[in-house]
Amino acid sequence: MMTHAATTKDSTRRPPPRRARADRERNRDVIVTAARALFAAADDAGEPVSMNEVARTAHVGIATLYRHFGTREELAEAVYMSKLDEMTARVDSRTRDADAHTALGAWAQEFATFMLAKRGMMDTLRATWQSGALDGSATASRITAIIAGFYTRSSTDHSLRAGVDPADVTLAVAALLTTASTPERARRLIALFIDGLAS
């Protein structure tokens, strides 16, 4: 039978659940921040990033890194999501007084510029699109949620054509980005597509 003293000693050895969660979140943020810098440098140099390099830069053990991100692809997706959220926040701030259609157009062009400037991200998007795995992926879900926000905004100003599935917009933008022959053509095609979504 466990004594009260043993129970007390064991409980003092374990960090409180809230603190443990905070530590996990802090470690995750540190890892993503380190990975963002490494992936950006790798994009410029055209070189891959190793998980060991990320762990060293983040000053965490490799086991800690793998507890948060089981694969390099999961880590790359977390970096991508972080940058995507920042980009979306900038567009939201810049288009606060615009109608939903104008705001969606600004976001789509910013998204295209963001993706086309990152060779590693475009390679990942292209491979995911060609494999048919984009529809229903975490990446597609996040983008679709962002686009759905513009349609929610349109419920007030009615500037976007009704009856459009935001998931269809996600797939269309991805298809245009990954199949256009040049970045300039990709931006033009996306602009034409977004123009067609006006009410």
Side-chain angles (χ1 to χ4, degrees):
M1 180 176 178
M2 185 178 291
T3 64
H4 175 69
T7 303
T8 303
K9 183 178 180 181
D10 185 61
S11 65
T12 57
R13 190 178 297 143
R14 298 175 183 170
R18 184 177 298 175
R19 195 181 81 198
R21 282 197 301 273
D23 288 344
R24 283 196 299 272
E25 290 173 5
R26 184 165 54 251
N27 281 339
R28 189 182 190 282
D29 290 343
V30 166
I31 291 167
V32 171
T33 299
R36 280 186 62 158
L38 289 171
F39 277 116
D43 263 336
D44 292 338
E47 298 174 350
V49 175
S50 72
M51 295 292 269
N52 284 328
E53 188 178 4
V54 173
R56 283 195 303 272
T57 304
H59 303 292
V60 300
I62 192 68
T64 298
L65 173 58
Y66 276 107
R67 274 198 298 273
H68 288 278
F69 304 102
T71 65
R72 184 181 179 280
E73 288 70 28
E74 288 180 17
L75 177 58
E77 186 168 58
V79 169
Y80 170 84
M81 297 291 192
S82 171
K83 291 184 176 183
L84 178 63
D85 288 345
E86 283 187 6
M87 185 212 81
T88 300
R90 287 198 305 272
V91 174
D92 284 345
S93 177
R94 196 171 68 240
T95 62
R96 188 175 292 114
D97 298 326
D99 62 47
H101 179 254
T102 300
L104 175 58
W107 179 88
Q109 287 299 320
E110 189 85 7
F111 177 71
T113 299
F114 164 64
M115 291 298 297
L116 293 166
K118 303 295 182 184
R119 185 174 65 183
M121 290 185 181
M122 274 303 299
D123 288 345
T124 299
L125 179 63
R126 187 174 291 107
T128 305
W129 167 259
Q130 291 173 347
S131 71
L134 181 64
D135 194 8
S137 70
T139 297
S141 295
R142 179 70 66 86
I143 297 170
T144 297
I146 292 168
I147 292 171
F150 293 109
Y151 276 87
T152 299
R153 186 167 166 178
S154 181
S155 64
T156 301
D157 61 41
H158 308 291
S159 60
L160 286 168
R161 184 154 52 92
V164 175
D165 185 344
D168 290 344
V169 178
T170 297
L171 292 177
V173 169
L176 293 172
L177 276 175
T178 55
T179 58
S181 55
T182 65
E184 292 74 21
R185 174 165 285 177
R187 293 189 184 93
R188 288 200 306 271
L189 291 174
I190 287 173
L192 285 171
F193 171 68
I194 298 298
D195 282 350
L197 295 178
S199 59

PDB file of all heavy atoms in Angstrom, residues 20-58:
ATOM      1  N   ALA A  20       3.170  21.660 -17.530  1.00  0.00           N
ATOM      2  CA  ALA A  20       3.666  20.724 -18.536  1.00  0.00           C
ATOM      3  C   ALA A  20       3.153  21.106 -19.923  1.00  0.00           C
ATOM      4  O   ALA A  20       3.894  21.063 -20.914  1.00  0.00           O
ATOM      5  CB  ALA A  20       3.245  19.302 -18.186  1.00  0.00           C
ATOM      6  N   ARG A  21       1.867  21.494 -20.003  1.00  0.00           N
ATOM      7  CA  ARG A  21       1.306  21.918 -21.284  1.00  0.00           C
ATOM      8  C   ARG A  21       1.995  23.180 -21.786  1.00  0.00           C
ATOM      9  O   ARG A  21       2.295  23.309 -22.973  1.00  0.00           O
ATOM     10  CB  ARG A  21      -0.204  22.161 -21.155  1.00  0.00           C
ATOM     11  CG  ARG A  21      -1.040  20.897 -21.160  1.00  0.00           C
ATOM     12  CD  ARG A  21      -2.495  21.220 -21.440  1.00  0.00           C
ATOM     13  NE  ARG A  21      -3.055  22.134 -20.456  1.00  0.00           N
ATOM     14  CZ  ARG A  21      -3.602  21.750 -19.303  1.00  0.00           C
ATOM     15  NH1 ARG A  21      -3.658  20.467 -18.993  1.00  0.00           N
ATOM     16  NH2 ARG A  21      -4.093  22.633 -18.469  1.00  0.00           N
ATOM     17  N   ALA A  22       2.246  24.116 -20.870  1.00  0.00           N
ATOM     18  CA  ALA A  22       2.916  25.363 -21.250  1.00  0.00           C
ATOM     19  C   ALA A  22       4.325  25.079 -21.763  1.00  0.00           C
ATOM     20  O   ALA A  22       4.784  25.689 -22.737  1.00  0.00           O
ATOM     21  CB  ALA A  22       2.969  26.311 -20.056  1.00  0.00           C
ATOM     22  N   ASP A  23       5.017  24.132 -21.094  1.00  0.00           N
ATOM     23  CA  ASP A  23       6.364  23.767 -21.542  1.00  0.00           C
ATOM     24  C   ASP A  23       6.333  23.150 -22.936  1.00  0.00           C
ATOM     25  O   ASP A  23       7.185  23.446 -23.781  1.00  0.00           O
ATOM     26  CB  ASP A  23       7.000  22.778 -20.556  1.00  0.00           C
ATOM     27  CG  ASP A  23       7.397  23.437 -19.236  1.00  0.00           C
ATOM     28  OD1 ASP A  23       7.456  24.684 -19.204  1.00  0.00           O
ATOM     29  OD2 ASP A  23       7.623  22.713 -18.249  1.00  0.00           O
ATOM     30  N   ARG A  24       5.335  22.292 -23.188  1.00  0.00           N
ATOM     31  CA  ARG A  24       5.216  21.666 -24.505  1.00  0.00           C
ATOM     32  C   ARG A  24       4.957  22.710 -25.585  1.00  0.00           C
ATOM     33  O   ARG A  24       5.551  22.677 -26.661  1.00  0.00           O
ATOM     34  CB  ARG A  24       4.096  20.621 -24.506  1.00  0.00           C
ATOM     35  CG  ARG A  24       4.468  19.303 -23.840  1.00  0.00           C
ATOM     36  CD  ARG A  24       3.499  18.210 -24.219  1.00  0.00           C
ATOM     37  NE  ARG A  24       2.131  18.507 -23.810  1.00  0.00           N
ATOM     38  CZ  ARG A  24       1.618  18.204 -22.622  1.00  0.00           C
ATOM     39  NH1 ARG A  24       2.364  17.597 -21.713  1.00  0.00           N
ATOM     40  NH2 ARG A  24       0.370  18.502 -22.325  1.00  0.00           N
ATOM     41  N   GLU A  25       4.051  23.644 -25.276  1.00  0.00           N
ATOM     42  CA  GLU A  25       3.730  24.691 -26.254  1.00  0.00           C
ATOM     43  C   GLU A  25       4.933  25.589 -26.511  1.00  0.00           C
ATOM     44  O   GLU A  25       5.189  25.987 -27.651  1.00  0.00           O
ATOM     45  CB  GLU A  25       2.542  25.517 -25.750  1.00  0.00           C
ATOM     46  CG  GLU A  25       1.218  24.751 -25.768  1.00  0.00           C
ATOM     47  CD  GLU A  25       0.097  25.535 -25.108  1.00  0.00           C
ATOM     48  OE1 GLU A  25       0.336  26.705 -24.729  1.00  0.00           O
ATOM     49  OE2 GLU A  25      -0.996  24.977 -24.968  1.00  0.00           O
ATOM     50  N   ARG A  26       5.685  25.893 -25.431  1.00  0.00           N
ATOM     51  CA  ARG A  26       6.872  26.729 -25.593  1.00  0.00           C
ATOM     52  C   ARG A  26       7.923  26.020 -26.446  1.00  0.00           C
ATOM     53  O   ARG A  26       8.515  26.622 -27.342  1.00  0.00           O
ATOM     54  CB  ARG A  26       7.452  27.092 -24.229  1.00  0.00           C
ATOM     55  CG  ARG A  26       8.639  28.050 -24.299  1.00  0.00           C
ATOM     56  CD  ARG A  26       8.949  28.669 -22.939  1.00  0.00           C
ATOM     57  NE  ARG A  26       9.136  27.643 -21.921  1.00  0.00           N
ATOM     58  CZ  ARG A  26       8.271  27.404 -20.928  1.00  0.00           C
ATOM     59  NH1 ARG A  26       7.154  28.119 -20.831  1.00  0.00           N
ATOM     60  NH2 ARG A  26       8.511  26.467 -20.023  1.00  0.00           N
ATOM     61  N   ASN A  27       8.134  24.737 -26.172  1.00  0.00           N
ATOM     62  CA  ASN A  27       9.087  23.966 -26.978  1.00  0.00           C
ATOM     63  C   ASN A  27       8.666  23.926 -28.443  1.00  0.00           C
ATOM     64  O   ASN A  27       9.488  24.047 -29.345  1.00  0.00           O
ATOM     65  CB  ASN A  27       9.206  22.532 -26.442  1.00  0.00           C
ATOM     66  CG  ASN A  27      10.098  22.445 -25.217  1.00  0.00           C
ATOM     67  OD1 ASN A  27      10.921  23.319 -24.970  1.00  0.00           O
ATOM     68  ND2 ASN A  27       9.928  21.394 -24.434  1.00  0.00           N
ATOM     69  N   ARG A  28       7.360  23.731 -28.658  1.00  0.00           N
ATOM     70  CA  ARG A  28       6.865  23.679 -30.043  1.00  0.00           C
ATOM     71  C   ARG A  28       7.105  25.005 -30.744  1.00  0.00           C
ATOM     72  O   ARG A  28       7.543  25.033 -31.905  1.00  0.00           O
ATOM     73  CB  ARG A  28       5.368  23.330 -30.050  1.00  0.00           C
ATOM     74  CG  ARG A  28       4.814  23.032 -31.433  1.00  0.00           C
ATOM     75  CD  ARG A  28       3.324  22.752 -31.377  1.00  0.00           C
ATOM     76  NE  ARG A  28       2.827  22.246 -32.641  1.00  0.00           N
ATOM     77  CZ  ARG A  28       2.580  22.973 -33.708  1.00  0.00           C
ATOM     78  NH1 ARG A  28       2.770  24.287 -33.677  1.00  0.00           N
ATOM     79  NH2 ARG A  28       2.125  22.413 -34.827  1.00  0.00           N
ATOM     80  N   ASP A  29       6.824  26.112 -30.064  1.00  0.00           N
ATOM     81  CA  ASP A  29       7.029  27.430 -30.662  1.00  0.00           C
ATOM     82  C   ASP A  29       8.499  27.668 -30.985  1.00  0.00           C
ATOM     83  O   ASP A  29       8.833  28.227 -32.043  1.00  0.00           O
ATOM     84  CB  ASP A  29       6.519  28.528 -29.721  1.00  0.00           C
ATOM     85  CG  ASP A  29       5.002  28.543 -29.603  1.00  0.00           C
ATOM     86  OD1 ASP A  29       4.336  27.937 -30.466  1.00  0.00           O
ATOM     87  OD2 ASP A  29       4.493  29.151 -28.644  1.00  0.00           O
ATOM     88  N   VAL A  30       9.379  27.250 -30.070  1.00  0.00           N
ATOM     89  CA  VAL A  30      10.820  27.425 -30.286  1.00  0.00           C
ATOM     90  C   VAL A  30      11.274  26.616 -31.500  1.00  0.00           C
ATOM     91  O   VAL A  30      12.058  27.091 -32.326  1.00  0.00           O
ATOM     92  CB  VAL A  30      11.606  27.001 -29.023  1.00  0.00           C
ATOM     93  CG1 VAL A  30      13.092  26.853 -29.325  1.00  0.00           C
ATOM     94  CG2 VAL A  30      11.413  28.016 -27.904  1.00  0.00           C
ATOM     95  N   ILE A  31      10.764  25.394 -31.615  1.00  0.00           N
ATOM     96  CA  ILE A  31      11.125  24.530 -32.745  1.00  0.00           C
ATOM     97  C   ILE A  31      10.653  25.133 -34.060  1.00  0.00           C
ATOM     98  O   ILE A  31      11.402  25.193 -35.042  1.00  0.00           O
ATOM     99  CB  ILE A  31      10.534  23.119 -32.550  1.00  0.00           C
ATOM    100  CG1 ILE A  31      11.239  22.403 -31.390  1.00  0.00           C
ATOM    101  CG2 ILE A  31      10.658  22.304 -33.832  1.00  0.00           C
ATOM    102  CD1 ILE A  31      10.524  21.143 -30.929  1.00  0.00           C
ATOM    103  N   VAL A  32       9.397  25.600 -34.098  1.00  0.00           N
ATOM    104  CA  VAL A  32       8.859  26.172 -35.332  1.00  0.00           C
ATOM    105  C   VAL A  32       9.622  27.433 -35.720  1.00  0.00           C
ATOM    106  O   VAL A  32       9.923  27.651 -36.898  1.00  0.00           O
ATOM    107  CB  VAL A  32       7.353  26.462 -35.188  1.00  0.00           C
ATOM    108  CG1 VAL A  32       6.830  27.258 -36.381  1.00  0.00           C
ATOM    109  CG2 VAL A  32       6.568  25.156 -35.050  1.00  0.00           C
ATOM    110  N   THR A  33       9.970  28.259 -34.734  1.00  0.00           N
ATOM    111  CA  THR A  33      10.730  29.480 -35.012  1.00  0.00           C
ATOM    112  C   THR A  33      12.092  29.144 -35.608  1.00  0.00           C
ATOM    113  O   THR A  33      12.527  29.755 -36.595  1.00  0.00           O
ATOM    114  CB  THR A  33      10.910  30.311 -33.729  1.00  0.00           C
ATOM    115  OG1 THR A  33       9.621  30.699 -33.233  1.00  0.00           O
ATOM    116  CG2 THR A  33      11.737  31.555 -33.995  1.00  0.00           C
ATOM    117  N   ALA A  34      12.771  28.166 -35.023  1.00  0.00           N
ATOM    118  CA  ALA A  34      14.079  27.744 -35.544  1.00  0.00           C
ATOM    119  C   ALA A  34      13.931  27.165 -36.943  1.00  0.00           C
ATOM    120  O   ALA A  34      14.734  27.460 -37.848  1.00  0.00           O
ATOM    121  CB  ALA A  34      14.708  26.718 -34.602  1.00  0.00           C
ATOM    122  N   ALA A  35      12.910  26.353 -37.139  1.00  0.00           N
ATOM    123  CA  ALA A  35      12.705  25.716 -38.446  1.00  0.00           C
ATOM    124  C   ALA A  35      12.378  26.757 -39.513  1.00  0.00           C
ATOM    125  O   ALA A  35      12.807  26.621 -40.665  1.00  0.00           O
ATOM    126  CB  ALA A  35      11.591  24.683 -38.350  1.00  0.00           C
ATOM    127  N   ARG A  36      11.628  27.788 -39.144  1.00  0.00           N
ATOM    128  CA  ARG A  36      11.298  28.843 -40.112  1.00  0.00           C
ATOM    129  C   ARG A  36      12.559  29.468 -40.672  1.00  0.00           C
ATOM    130  O   ARG A  36      12.700  29.655 -41.885  1.00  0.00           O
ATOM    131  CB  ARG A  36      10.434  29.923 -39.451  1.00  0.00           C
ATOM    132  CG  ARG A  36       8.986  29.571 -39.335  1.00  0.00           C
ATOM    133  CD  ARG A  36       8.163  30.733 -38.809  1.00  0.00           C
ATOM    134  NE  ARG A  36       8.218  31.885 -39.701  1.00  0.00           N
ATOM    135  CZ  ARG A  36       7.310  32.846 -39.737  1.00  0.00           C
ATOM    136  NH1 ARG A  36       6.276  32.788 -38.920  1.00  0.00           N
ATOM    137  NH2 ARG A  36       7.418  33.857 -40.556  1.00  0.00           N
ATOM    138  N   ALA A  37      13.508  29.801 -39.787  1.00  0.00           N
ATOM    139  CA  ALA A  37      14.758  30.418 -40.228  1.00  0.00           C
ATOM    140  C   ALA A  37      15.565  29.457 -41.098  1.00  0.00           C
ATOM    141  O   ALA A  37      16.128  29.849 -42.129  1.00  0.00           O
ATOM    142  CB  ALA A  37      15.581  30.855 -39.012  1.00  0.00           C
ATOM    143  N   LEU A  38      15.616  28.207 -40.699  1.00  0.00           N
ATOM    144  CA  LEU A  38      16.388  27.220 -41.450  1.00  0.00           C
ATOM    145  C   LEU A  38      15.769  26.940 -42.816  1.00  0.00           C
ATOM    146  O   LEU A  38      16.479  26.833 -43.822  1.00  0.00           O
ATOM    147  CB  LEU A  38      16.512  25.927 -40.649  1.00  0.00           C
ATOM    148  CG  LEU A  38      17.424  26.006 -39.421  1.00  0.00           C
ATOM    149  CD1 LEU A  38      17.296  24.736 -38.589  1.00  0.00           C
ATOM    150  CD2 LEU A  38      18.877  26.203 -39.850  1.00  0.00           C
ATOM    151  N   PHE A  39      14.440  26.804 -42.857  1.00  0.00           N
ATOM    152  CA  PHE A  39      13.769  26.539 -44.138  1.00  0.00           C
ATOM    153  C   PHE A  39      13.918  27.737 -45.082  1.00  0.00           C
ATOM    154  O   PHE A  39      14.054  27.558 -46.298  1.00  0.00           O
ATOM    155  CB  PHE A  39      12.298  26.216 -43.926  1.00  0.00           C
ATOM    156  CG  PHE A  39      12.031  24.785 -43.559  1.00  0.00           C
ATOM    157  CD1 PHE A  39      11.490  24.450 -42.333  1.00  0.00           C
ATOM    158  CD2 PHE A  39      12.319  23.760 -44.453  1.00  0.00           C
ATOM    159  CE1 PHE A  39      11.247  23.130 -41.981  1.00  0.00           C
ATOM    160  CE2 PHE A  39      12.080  22.437 -44.126  1.00  0.00           C
ATOM    161  CZ  PHE A  39      11.545  22.116 -42.889  1.00  0.00           C
ATOM    162  N   ALA A  40      13.884  28.952 -44.539  1.00  0.00           N
ATOM    163  CA  ALA A  40      14.053  30.141 -45.378  1.00  0.00           C
ATOM    164  C   ALA A  40      15.446  30.153 -45.995  1.00  0.00           C
ATOM    165  O   ALA A  40      15.610  30.424 -47.195  1.00  0.00           O
ATOM    166  CB  ALA A  40      13.829  31.404 -44.549  1.00  0.00           C
ATOM    167  N   ALA A  41      16.464  29.855 -45.179  1.00  0.00           N
ATOM    168  CA  ALA A  41      17.833  29.813 -45.695  1.00  0.00           C
ATOM    169  C   ALA A  41      17.994  28.685 -46.705  1.00  0.00           C
ATOM    170  O   ALA A  41      18.677  28.837 -47.725  1.00  0.00           O
ATOM    171  CB  ALA A  41      18.819  29.630 -44.537  1.00  0.00           C
ATOM    172  N   ALA A  42      17.342  27.557 -46.436  1.00  0.00           N
ATOM    173  CA  ALA A  42      17.429  26.409 -47.347  1.00  0.00           C
ATOM    174  C   ALA A  42      16.764  26.722 -48.679  1.00  0.00           C
ATOM    175  O   ALA A  42      17.248  26.307 -49.739  1.00  0.00           O
ATOM    176  CB  ALA A  42      16.788  25.187 -46.706  1.00  0.00           C
ATOM    177  N   ASP A  43      15.650  27.463 -48.643  1.00  0.00           N
ATOM    178  CA  ASP A  43      14.982  27.865 -49.887  1.00  0.00           C
ATOM    179  C   ASP A  43      15.919  28.711 -50.741  1.00  0.00           C
ATOM    180  O   ASP A  43      16.007  28.534 -51.950  1.00  0.00           O
ATOM    181  CB  ASP A  43      13.714  28.659 -49.572  1.00  0.00           C
ATOM    182  CG  ASP A  43      12.466  27.787 -49.605  1.00  0.00           C
ATOM    183  OD1 ASP A  43      12.485  26.751 -50.279  1.00  0.00           O
ATOM    184  OD2 ASP A  43      11.484  28.142 -48.945  1.00  0.00           O
ATOM    185  N   ASP A  44      16.630  29.630 -50.086  1.00  0.00           N
ATOM    186  CA  ASP A  44      17.545  30.510 -50.815  1.00  0.00           C
ATOM    187  C   ASP A  44      18.730  29.735 -51.387  1.00  0.00           C
ATOM    188  O   ASP A  44      19.195  30.027 -52.493  1.00  0.00           O
ATOM    189  CB  ASP A  44      18.059  31.623 -49.889  1.00  0.00           C
ATOM    190  CG  ASP A  44      16.960  32.600 -49.492  1.00  0.00           C
ATOM    191  OD1 ASP A  44      15.949  32.674 -50.222  1.00  0.00           O
ATOM    192  OD2 ASP A  44      17.104  33.278 -48.458  1.00  0.00           O
ATOM    193  N   ALA A  45      19.214  28.761 -50.615  1.00  0.00           N
ATOM    194  CA  ALA A  45      20.406  28.014 -51.033  1.00  0.00           C
ATOM    195  C   ALA A  45      20.071  26.774 -51.854  1.00  0.00           C
ATOM    196  O   ALA A  45      20.967  26.172 -52.454  1.00  0.00           O
ATOM    197  CB  ALA A  45      21.213  27.606 -49.802  1.00  0.00           C
ATOM    198  N   GLY A  46      18.796  26.381 -51.859  1.00  0.00           N
ATOM    199  CA  GLY A  46      18.408  25.173 -52.574  1.00  0.00           C
ATOM    200  C   GLY A  46      18.923  23.911 -51.921  1.00  0.00           C
ATOM    201  O   GLY A  46      19.244  22.924 -52.590  1.00  0.00           O
ATOM    202  N   GLU A  47      19.009  23.936 -50.583  1.00  0.00           N
ATOM    203  CA  GLU A  47      19.529  22.790 -49.846  1.00  0.00           C
ATOM    204  C   GLU A  47      18.465  22.263 -48.882  1.00  0.00           C
ATOM    205  O   GLU A  47      17.613  23.023 -48.407  1.00  0.00           O
ATOM    206  CB  GLU A  47      20.777  23.187 -49.058  1.00  0.00           C
ATOM    207  CG  GLU A  47      21.938  23.657 -49.940  1.00  0.00           C
ATOM    208  CD  GLU A  47      23.096  24.185 -49.117  1.00  0.00           C
ATOM    209  OE1 GLU A  47      22.918  24.352 -47.890  1.00  0.00           O
ATOM    210  OE2 GLU A  47      24.167  24.447 -49.713  1.00  0.00           O
ATOM    211  N   PRO A  48      18.504  20.972 -48.550  1.00  0.00           N
ATOM    212  CA  PRO A  48      17.548  20.411 -47.598  1.00  0.00           C
ATOM    213  C   PRO A  48      17.903  20.765 -46.161  1.00  0.00           C
ATOM    214  O   PRO A  48      19.042  21.143 -45.868  1.00  0.00           O
ATOM    215  CB  PRO A  48      17.669  18.892 -47.829  1.00  0.00           C
ATOM    216  CG  PRO A  48      19.084  18.715 -48.288  1.00  0.00           C
ATOM    217  CD  PRO A  48      19.392  19.936 -49.117  1.00  0.00           C
ATOM    218  N   VAL A  49      16.921  20.655 -45.278  1.00  0.00           N
ATOM    219  CA  VAL A  49      17.127  20.893 -43.843  1.00  0.00           C
ATOM    220  C   VAL A  49      16.936  19.567 -43.111  1.00  0.00           C
ATOM    221  O   VAL A  49      15.946  18.879 -43.331  1.00  0.00           O
ATOM    222  CB  VAL A  49      16.122  21.932 -43.299  1.00  0.00           C
ATOM    223  CG1 VAL A  49      16.260  22.081 -41.792  1.00  0.00           C
ATOM    224  CG2 VAL A  49      16.318  23.269 -43.987  1.00  0.00           C
ATOM    225  N   SER A  50      17.892  19.224 -42.258  1.00  0.00           N
ATOM    226  CA  SER A  50      17.783  17.977 -41.504  1.00  0.00           C
ATOM    227  C   SER A  50      17.113  18.227 -40.158  1.00  0.00           C
ATOM    228  O   SER A  50      17.184  19.337 -39.607  1.00  0.00           O
ATOM    229  CB  SER A  50      19.163  17.359 -41.267  1.00  0.00           C
ATOM    230  OG  SER A  50      19.891  18.108 -40.305  1.00  0.00           O
ATOM    231  N   MET A  51      16.476  17.197 -39.631  1.00  0.00           N
ATOM    232  CA  MET A  51      15.836  17.298 -38.317  1.00  0.00           C
ATOM    233  C   MET A  51      16.881  17.556 -37.229  1.00  0.00           C
ATOM    234  O   MET A  51      16.627  18.292 -36.268  1.00  0.00           O
ATOM    235  CB  MET A  51      15.042  16.039 -38.019  1.00  0.00           C
ATOM    236  CG  MET A  51      13.868  15.812 -38.956  1.00  0.00           C
ATOM    237  SD  MET A  51      12.544  17.022 -38.746  1.00  0.00           S
ATOM    238  CE  MET A  51      11.512  16.183 -37.515  1.00  0.00           C
ATOM    239  N   ASN A  52      18.063  16.965 -37.367  1.00  0.00           N
ATOM    240  CA  ASN A  52      19.129  17.194 -36.384  1.00  0.00           C
ATOM    241  C   ASN A  52      19.538  18.660 -36.350  1.00  0.00           C
ATOM    242  O   ASN A  52      19.785  19.226 -35.282  1.00  0.00           O
ATOM    243  CB  ASN A  52      20.350  16.331 -36.715  1.00  0.00           C
ATOM    244  CG  ASN A  52      20.163  14.884 -36.331  1.00  0.00           C
ATOM    245  OD1 ASN A  52      19.476  14.574 -35.364  1.00  0.00           O
ATOM    246  ND2 ASN A  52      20.770  13.981 -37.092  1.00  0.00           N
ATOM    247  N   GLU A  53      19.583  19.280 -37.519  1.00  0.00           N
ATOM    248  CA  GLU A  53      19.942  20.695 -37.598  1.00  0.00           C
ATOM    249  C   GLU A  53      18.881  21.556 -36.921  1.00  0.00           C
ATOM    250  O   GLU A  53      19.202  22.523 -36.226  1.00  0.00           O
ATOM    251  CB  GLU A  53      20.103  21.091 -39.063  1.00  0.00           C
ATOM    252  CG  GLU A  53      20.669  22.476 -39.277  1.00  0.00           C
ATOM    253  CD  GLU A  53      20.862  22.814 -40.735  1.00  0.00           C
ATOM    254  OE1 GLU A  53      20.483  21.991 -41.590  1.00  0.00           O
ATOM    255  OE2 GLU A  53      21.394  23.907 -41.020  1.00  0.00           O
ATOM    256  N   VAL A  54      17.624  21.215 -37.098  1.00  0.00           N
ATOM    257  CA  VAL A  54      16.543  21.949 -36.450  1.00  0.00           C
ATOM    258  C   VAL A  54      16.649  21.815 -34.936  1.00  0.00           C
ATOM    259  O   VAL A  54      16.528  22.799 -34.192  1.00  0.00           O
ATOM    260  CB  VAL A  54      15.168  21.447 -36.935  1.00  0.00           C
ATOM    261  CG1 VAL A  54      14.036  22.101 -36.134  1.00  0.00           C
ATOM    262  CG2 VAL A  54      14.975  21.726 -38.422  1.00  0.00           C
ATOM    263  N   ALA A  55      16.888  20.601 -34.452  1.00  0.00           N
ATOM    264  CA  ALA A  55      17.004  20.377 -33.006  1.00  0.00           C
ATOM    265  C   ALA A  55      18.160  21.181 -32.422  1.00  0.00           C
ATOM    266  O   ALA A  55      18.022  21.798 -31.363  1.00  0.00           O
ATOM    267  CB  ALA A  55      17.186  18.876 -32.724  1.00  0.00           C
ATOM    268  N   ARG A  56      19.301  21.180 -33.109  1.00  0.00           N
ATOM    269  CA  ARG A  56      20.456  21.942 -32.623  1.00  0.00           C
ATOM    270  C   ARG A  56      20.149  23.433 -32.566  1.00  0.00           C
ATOM    271  O   ARG A  56      20.454  24.115 -31.584  1.00  0.00           O
ATOM    272  CB  ARG A  56      21.680  21.706 -33.523  1.00  0.00           C
ATOM    273  CG  ARG A  56      22.371  20.381 -33.316  1.00  0.00           C
ATOM    274  CD  ARG A  56      23.763  20.383 -33.959  1.00  0.00           C
ATOM    275  NE  ARG A  56      23.718  20.687 -35.385  1.00  0.00           N
ATOM    276  CZ  ARG A  56      23.555  19.788 -36.327  1.00  0.00           C
ATOM    277  NH1 ARG A  56      23.415  18.509 -36.015  1.00  0.00           N
ATOM    278  NH2 ARG A  56      23.535  20.147 -37.608  1.00  0.00           N
ATOM    279  N   THR A  57      19.525  23.951 -33.627  1.00  0.00           N
ATOM    280  CA  THR A  57      19.225  25.381 -33.673  1.00  0.00           C
ATOM    281  C   THR A  57      18.202  25.780 -32.612  1.00  0.00           C
ATOM    282  O   THR A  57      18.281  26.873 -32.042  1.00  0.00           O
ATOM    283  CB  THR A  57      18.702  25.758 -35.077  1.00  0.00           C
ATOM    284  OG1 THR A  57      19.675  25.371 -36.053  1.00  0.00           O
ATOM    285  CG2 THR A  57      18.440  27.249 -35.188  1.00  0.00           C
ATOM    286  N   ALA A  58      17.244  24.898 -32.348  1.00  0.00           N
ATOM    287  CA  ALA A  58      16.211  25.181 -31.349  1.00  0.00           C
ATOM    288  C   ALA A  58      16.675  24.890 -29.932  1.00  0.00           C
ATOM    289  O   ALA A  58      15.958  25.191 -28.967  1.00  0.00           O
ATOM    290  CB  ALA A  58      14.967  24.350 -31.657  1.00  0.00           C
TER     291      ALA A  58
END
